[in-house]
Amino acid sequence: WAPMEQIKVDRLKFIVGLVLAYAALVYFGAWAGVYLFCHGHFFTVFQKPDNIFSAMWKWDSNFYVSIAQHGYLWNGNFHQQQNIAFFPLYPIAIRFSHILFGGWSGFVVIIPATIIGISSIIAFFVLALLQLPEKQARIATVAYTLFPGSMWFFSAYPVSLINLFIILSMIGLTKKWKIIPYIFAGIGTSAGPTVVFYSFSIFIYEFISKINTTYFFELSLIKKIKEIFL
């Protein structure tokens, strides 16, 4: 094989091995936490999950699933958390998963996050390769994958969507694409507030980068004062 082909194969092996190892680590941790270490109050309050996928469907996941099932609801109680506080993109992904696989099992509501999360790891590796030498890019990708927040790639949360759209936008900015980075950022704002702040930050960055500082200096108050007194 040509050297470039071998590099591609090595990179593919690296990503596949990394994803499989991390998935095994997360699911083993979830299994051990539920079936080995948690007893008493846990099973009284949360009930024993039917399977490992159900064990990963907890907390705010219920709001995202309720949006996918019933849409946005408001019962008028300001003292009760409502699903209108959550962004719509991941519920849309859950809905498509429901159409494809049927039912509302833990697998159905989590598989979109997992697929998108794996895609974000691949995208991060691409971004890292654009910025770093091969070895450092691999180290950075491992660090991204092992970051504690990445555990939500295996739960019914939009973290993977948020990460993916930001990373894709950053790839576009790195490659100096004209419109695509902003499309990714714009779509991503429907996944969570992080992308809203990110979109605002790149708007400010682009605005500042296009300011002709010489022009503004020539019109500045300091320039006018110099013309009057000097």
Side-chain angles (χ1 to χ4, degrees):
W1 284 359
M4 193 60 207
E5 292 298 322
Q6 185 61 50
I7 290 173
K8 291 180 180 178
V9 171
D10 290 341
R11 289 174 176 174
L12 179 62
K13 289 180 179 179
F14 164 71
I15 286 293
V16 171
L18 178 61
V19 168
L20 290 178
Y22 188 60
L25 178 65
V26 170
Y27 278 109
F28 174 76
W31 177 84
V34 172
Y35 295 102
L36 292 182
F37 302 117
C38 290
H39 301 283
H41 180 71
F42 177 87
F43 291 110
T44 302
V45 177
F46 295 103
Q47 299 181 345
K48 184 176 180 179
D50 296 329
N51 52 60
I52 195 62
F53 291 108
S54 297
M56 303 295 285
W57 173 3
K58 296 295 180 185
W59 304 299
D60 288 348
S61 298
N62 293 311
F63 291 103
Y64 292 108
V65 175
S66 75
I67 296 169
Q69 291 176 326
H70 311 293
Y72 284 100
L73 302 171
W74 168 251
N75 64 11
N77 185 352
F78 289 96
H79 301 288
Q80 181 180 358
Q81 189 173 12
Q82 312 281 326
N83 70 12
I84 60 172
F86 298 88
F87 287 67
L89 193 56
Y90 192 70
I92 292 173
I94 295 175
R95 190 72 185 184
F96 276 111
S97 179
H98 164 72
I99 293 171
L100 184 62
F101 297 107
W104 298 101
S105 66
F107 172 83
V108 169
V109 303
I110 290 172
I111 195 63
T114 301
I115 293 173
I116 297 164
I118 292 171
S119 300
S120 80
I121 294 172
I122 296 170
F124 184 92
F125 187 40
V126 172
L127 176 63
L129 287 170
L130 293 173
Q131 304 282 350
L132 300 167
E134 180 85 21
K135 182 178 180 180
Q136 286 85 342
R138 293 192 180 206
I139 293 172
T141 305
V142 171
Y144 169 75
T145 305
L146 297 180
F147 180 71
S150 298
M151 66 162 286
W152 300 114
F153 295 173
F154 303 96
S155 186
Y157 272 71
V159 175
S160 56
L161 267 174
I162 292 170
N163 289 11
L164 179 61
F165 279 109
I166 290 177
I167 293 167
L168 291 175
S169 176
M170 294 178 72
I171 290 173
L173 291 173
T174 302
K175 288 180 168 288
K176 301 187 183 303
W177 293 339
K178 292 186 179 298
I179 299 176
I180 300 300
Y182 313 105
I183 293 176
F184 284 133
I187 296 173
T189 57
S190 61
T194 307
V195 196
V196 175
F197 293 116
Y198 168 78
S199 299
F200 181 71
S201 68
I202 62 173
F203 166 76
I204 295 297
Y205 170 79
E206 289 294 324
F207 178 77
I208 293 175
S209 66
K210 288 178 171 56
I211 291 177
N212 187 328
T213 54
T214 303
Y215 171 77
F216 277 89
F217 177 78
E218 292 296 325
L219 295 180
S220 68
L221 179 61
I222 295 175
K223 178 67 175 179
K224 295 302 180 182
I225 292 174
K226 284 182 179 181
E227 290 175 354
I228 293 172
F229 295 100
L230 299 179

